[in-house]
């Protein structure tokens, strides 16, 4: 039995195991609507107390007034539970700061590399004196820096910060986590350097040579152990849905990467099947669950209201786990692969509408009558924008898997636009919002220039919309031109030129937003700018931000 069939069989068996766990959950009543579990992110008396650390005192008061609802009974949050949460935050502060700092560095590098690659598509004679400057290497360095450097580091930081909070227990093994983070970033740096030098495994999303990938896998294992040990030693009765998403995502990405990087196993068509099995799953079983789990925490936490349906949130988790594993096969439409594999991928892609709608309905019901609050809270804007882009990009992805759509969109810029809508419009925007919430909690120092947060949001949001809209339209025209036998191939290139320039404009706005974001991060971390609250990261007696914002 060849390795491709073994991989598919293993994924099928995992789905069957998941199905039995789902049935067991039903029998145990775990999917019965559970208001207590939905409120697990709040301490006693905290519901009704809005929370956005990116706001100043006056802005907090205006936000609180706007969020007040008839029948609210404001209580003082339980002091002991707040202290427990503060202790959990302190236990994870150093590793979280490390991950976010690395993420900011890779975001800046990856963004500049991506903009350079974009400009070279309509300025082909620019930067051609060295091999590492060519489009192929520059684009791949951008991909590795952004997907592994920025998104993976930021998501690891969010997981490490949220786990102790949600489990009401200090983080165990922070030194192991920091060592794992060091290994992960050594691998990313070495991988980017190797790609620039022309040493690559040549597979989409798996370009990092396997000899370097060993360090990445070892780093992830070092991180998983302490997280699972913290989970086992939790002090909570109900696991909030974010814990489900984040724990599963850590296990998924590690197993996916190890399987994808095993050398000398897959060849030819088998290798292509494995490549897109990994390529789509790293998006759907790593980037997506962490970002969705983050929204499930931060959005209700900011507006101080529990999610509308805990049942829907768990349904979304299990259906994501059931249906996502085989969706990557639709990238092989027209290739020398079995027809049943493509059909299976298309069916599972359409089934992904279920978890997406479960999430969208849940968020819509939670925000019903509260949409106006985005005017007051910059972090809420990031979360709402990211959540909406998740729905749009996922629904687009499901229908894009259809053979009739693939006939036009395959091998065009349309696919690139779709990938950026998910990785940037959804995942990256959620990560931005989460970092704006987390940083004041771990350094005990407020963002010095709140207006820069709004500037960052609008630059990033307008940039990704310009990028997506124009590149999608240009990619569709490209596909139609390639399908027309009466037109020479060069027409499919020339027709995209105006839209590639719009792509670069959108990319330039996104890079500008990154510069604003990283500058603001450095100002905050180095204690420059206005002193709005008090102590900084290494103070021996930090002011309790939970209590400051809870007043």
């Amino acid at each position: 039995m060849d390795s491709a069939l073994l991989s598919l069989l293993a994924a099928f068996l995992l789905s069957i195991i998941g199905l039995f766990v789902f049935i067991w959950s039903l029998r145990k009543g775990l999917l019965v609507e559970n208001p207590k579990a939905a409120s697990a992110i709040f301490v006693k008396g905290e519901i009704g107390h809005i929370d956005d650390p990116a706001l100043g005192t006056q802005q907090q008061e205006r936000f609180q007034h706007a969020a007040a609802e008839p029948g609210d009974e404001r209580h003082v949050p339980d002091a002991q539970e707040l202290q427990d949460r503060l202790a959990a935050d302190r236990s994870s502060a150093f590793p979280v700061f490390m991950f976010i700092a690395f993420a900011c560095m890779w975001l800046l590098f990856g963004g500049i590399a991506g903009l350079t690659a974009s400009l070279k598509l309509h300025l082909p004679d620019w930067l051609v004196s060295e091999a590492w400057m060519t489009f192929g290497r520059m684009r791949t360095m951008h991909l590795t820096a952004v997907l592994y450097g920025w998104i993976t580091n930021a998501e690891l930081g969010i997981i490490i910060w949220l786990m102790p909070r949600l489990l009401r227990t200090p983080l165990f093994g922070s030194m192991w986590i920091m060592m794992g983070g060091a290994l992960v970033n050594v691998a990313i740096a070495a991988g980017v350097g190797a790609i620039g030098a022309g040493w690559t495994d040549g597979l989409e999303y798996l370009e990092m040579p396997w000899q370097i990938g060993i360090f990445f896998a070892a780093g992830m294992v070092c991180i998983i152990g302490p997280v699972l040990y913290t989970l086992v030693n939790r002090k909570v009765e109900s696991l909030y849905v974010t814990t489900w998403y984040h724990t599963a995502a850590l296990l998924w990405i590690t197993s996916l990467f190890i399987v994808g990087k095993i050398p000398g196993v897959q060849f030819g068509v088998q290798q292509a099947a494995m490549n897109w099995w990994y390529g789509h799953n790293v998006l759907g079983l790593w980037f997506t669950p962490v970002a969705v789990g983050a929204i499930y925490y931060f959005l209700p936490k900011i507006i101080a209201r529990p999610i509308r349906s805990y049942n829907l949130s768990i349904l979304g988790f299990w259906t994501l786990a059931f249906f996502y594993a085989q969706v990557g096969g639709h990238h092989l439409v027209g290739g020398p692969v079995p027809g049943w594999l493509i059909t299976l991928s298309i069916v599972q892609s359409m089934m992904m509408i279920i978890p997406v709608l479960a999430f969208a309905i849940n968020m819509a019901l939670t925000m019903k009558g509260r949409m106006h609050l985005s005017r007051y809270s910059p972090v809420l804007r990031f979360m709402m924008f990211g959540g909406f882009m998740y729905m749009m990009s996922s629904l687009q992805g499901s229908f894009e898997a259809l053979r009739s759509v693939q006939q036009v969109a395959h091998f065009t810029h349309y696919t690139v636009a779709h990938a950026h809508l998910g990785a940037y419009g959804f995942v990256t925007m959620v990560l931005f919002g989460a970092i704006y919430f987390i940083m004041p909690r771990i350094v005990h120092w407020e963002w010095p220039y709140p207006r820069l947060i709004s500037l960052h949001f609008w630059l990033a949001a307008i940039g990704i919309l310009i990028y997506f809209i124009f590149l999608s339209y240009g990619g569709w025209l490209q596909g139609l031109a390639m399908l027309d036998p009466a037109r020479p191939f060069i027409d499919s290139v020339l027709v995209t030129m105006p839209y590639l320039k719009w792509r670069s404009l959108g990319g330039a706005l996104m890079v500008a937003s990154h510069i604003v974001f990283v500058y603001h991060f450095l100002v905050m971390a180095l204690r420059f700018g206005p002193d709005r609250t008090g102590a900084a990261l290494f103070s021996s007696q930090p002011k309790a931000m939970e209590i400051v914002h809870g007043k």
Side-chain angles (χ1 to χ4, degrees):
M1 185 178 293
D2 60 48
S3 57
L5 285 178
L6 282 174
S7 298
L8 291 170
L9 180 60
F12 175 73
L13 291 176
L14 286 175
S15 297
I16 294 297
I17 293 171
L19 178 61
F20 279 107
V21 173
F22 182 72
I23 294 171
W24 174 82
S25 300
L26 287 173
R27 290 177 59 85
K28 292 292 184 179
L30 298 181
L31 296 185
V32 175
E33 199 57 62
N34 189 349
K36 183 179 179 180
S39 303
I41 62 174
F42 301 104
V43 303
K44 294 177 182 177
E46 192 177 29
I47 294 178
H49 293 259
I50 58 91
D51 192 1
D52 186 346
L55 297 175
T57 304
Q58 293 182 347
Q59 289 83 5
Q60 287 267 351
E61 292 175 354
R62 285 199 290 269
F63 186 20
Q64 182 66 68
H65 179 73
E69 298 183 5
D72 274 355
E73 295 183 11
R74 294 287 302 281
H75 301 283
V76 177
D78 186 274
Q80 182 56 52
E81 292 193 17
L82 285 178
Q83 290 297 331
D84 291 341
R85 181 187 290 169
L86 184 61
D89 287 353
R90 285 175 177 166
S91 71
S92 63
F94 283 94
V96 171
F97 183 84
M98 177 193 71
F99 281 118
I100 294 177
F102 274 125
C104 289
M105 177 189 73
W106 289 116
L107 174 69
L108 206 55
F109 172 83
I112 293 171
L115 179 58
T116 303
S118 178
L119 289 169
K120 288 172 73 65
L121 287 173
H122 52 88
L123 298 172
D125 295 328
W126 181 54
L127 295 181
V128 293
S129 60
E130 299 290 339
W132 66 269
M133 295 179 181
T134 57
F135 173 82
R137 296 191 190 181
M138 188 63 67
R139 187 260 181 186
T140 308
M141 287 191 288
H142 154 72
L143 192 69
T144 302
V146 171
L147 296 186
Y148 293 103
W150 155 244
I151 296 180
T152 295
N153 271 295
E155 291 197 335
L156 287 171
I158 290 170
I159 291 172
I160 300 305
W161 188 76
L162 280 178
M163 278 294 187
R165 276 195 153 215
L166 294 170
L167 302 176
R168 307 284 176 88
T169 185
L171 179 68
F172 289 90
S174 60
M175 291 305 297
W176 281 98
I177 289 176
M178 294 186 72
M179 183 175 73
L183 287 171
V184 165
N185 282 281
V186 164
I188 296 167
V192 170
I195 291 166
W199 179 26
T200 169
D201 280 354
L203 298 173
E204 188 90 9
Y205 300 155
L206 284 168
E207 291 91 352
M208 182 188 301
W210 69 264
Q211 295 89 339
I212 296 173
I214 292 172
F215 293 93
F216 184 90
M220 294 301 297
V221 171
C222 289
I223 294 167
I224 287 174
V227 170
L228 293 181
Y229 192 75
T230 304
L231 178 64
V232 171
N233 290 276
R234 65 187 182 273
K235 297 178 182 178
V236 295
E237 179 183 352
S238 301
L239 287 180
Y240 189 63
V241 63
T242 299
T243 307
W244 290 70
Y245 275 109
H246 287 183
T247 304
L250 271 178
L251 298 173
W252 281 330
I253 181 56
T254 306
S255 57
L256 285 168
F257 190 84
I258 291 173
V259 171
K261 273 299 173 191
I262 296 176
V265 177
Q266 292 97 9
F267 301 95
V269 173
Q270 298 174 24
Q271 192 177 59
M274 182 281 301
N275 186 191
W276 281 111
W277 169 79
Y278 174 87
H280 231 295
N281 284 341
V282 74
L283 195 68
L285 297 180
W286 172 231
F287 301 154
T288 295
V290 178
V292 169
I295 295 175
Y296 268 120
Y297 178 85
F298 290 107
L299 189 143
K301 185 73 169 63
I302 292 166
I303 66 173
R305 308 288 168 179
I307 56 172
R308 178 62 180 83
S309 173
Y310 188 77
N311 197 356
L312 269 179
S313 69
I314 295 297
L315 175 66
F317 169 79
W318 282 111
T319 49
L320 174 72
F322 290 164
F323 301 134
Y324 205 97
Q326 303 301 331
V327 301
H330 70 258
H331 284 275
L332 302 173
V333 169
V337 294
W340 62 263
L341 191 151
I342 304 297
T343 301
L344 173 64
S345 171
I346 294 172
V347 170
Q348 299 221 137
S349 296
M350 297 305 294
M351 293 300 290
M352 276 300 299
I353 293 175
I354 297 174
V356 173
L357 288 184
F359 169 84
I361 292 170
N362 211 0
M363 292 299 103
L365 292 176
T366 302
M367 292 301 299
K368 184 179 180 181
R370 304 182 181 113
M371 295 291 186
H372 64 287
L373 298 180
S374 61
R375 293 185 300 169
Y376 302 90
S377 169
V379 177
L380 185 60
R381 278 198 293 273
F382 279 101
M383 292 296 159
M384 291 176 64
F385 186 92
F388 183 71
M389 290 300 107
Y390 170 56
M391 182 185 71
M392 296 299 294
S393 63
S394 297
L395 292 178
Q396 182 197 22
S398 292
F399 287 99
E400 189 179 336
L402 298 173
R403 286 183 172 90
S404 57
V405 179
Q406 284 283 296
Q407 185 178 12
V408 178
H410 210 33
F411 302 124
T412 69
H413 293 295
Y414 184 92
T415 305
V416 179
H418 167 67
H420 280 75
L421 186 66
Y424 197 96
F426 161 43
V427 176
T428 291
M429 294 296 276
V430 170
L431 297 181
F432 284 145
I435 291 172
Y436 279 124
F437 190 101
I438 290 172
M439 277 298 292
R441 293 290 197 255
I442 64 173
V443 301
H444 303 283
W445 191 272
E446 292 183 337
W447 293 98
Y449 303 110
R451 290 186 179 180
L452 288 183
I453 302 176
S454 293
L455 175 63
H456 172 206
F457 172 82
W458 289 111
L459 284 173
I462 294 172
I464 186 57
L465 290 177
I466 290 174
Y467 188 109
F468 172 73
I469 293 170
F470 286 95
L471 197 59
S472 294
Y473 187 64
W476 194 259
L477 294 179
Q478 178 189 13
L480 293 176
M482 286 195 294
L483 288 174
D484 189 347
R487 301 176 67 178
F489 178 79
I490 191 63
D491 281 3
S492 68
V493 177
L494 296 176
V495 76
T496 64
M497 283 301 161
Y499 306 100
L500 292 177
K501 294 176 182 178
W502 280 104
R503 164 186 171 151
S504 294
L505 174 62
L509 291 176
M510 289 187 278
V511 170
S513 79
H514 302 166
I515 294 172
V516 171
F517 172 66
V518 174
Y519 166 77
H520 204 186
F521 171 84
L522 290 174
V523 168
M524 181 188 197
L526 298 175
R527 302 174 61 184
F528 296 148
D531 178 0
R532 295 180 52 215
T533 296
L537 176 64
F538 302 105
S539 172
S540 58
Q541 293 181 334
K543 182 177 288 187
M545 296 291 291
E546 287 292 327
I547 298 175
V548 169
H549 287 287
K551 289 182 178 178

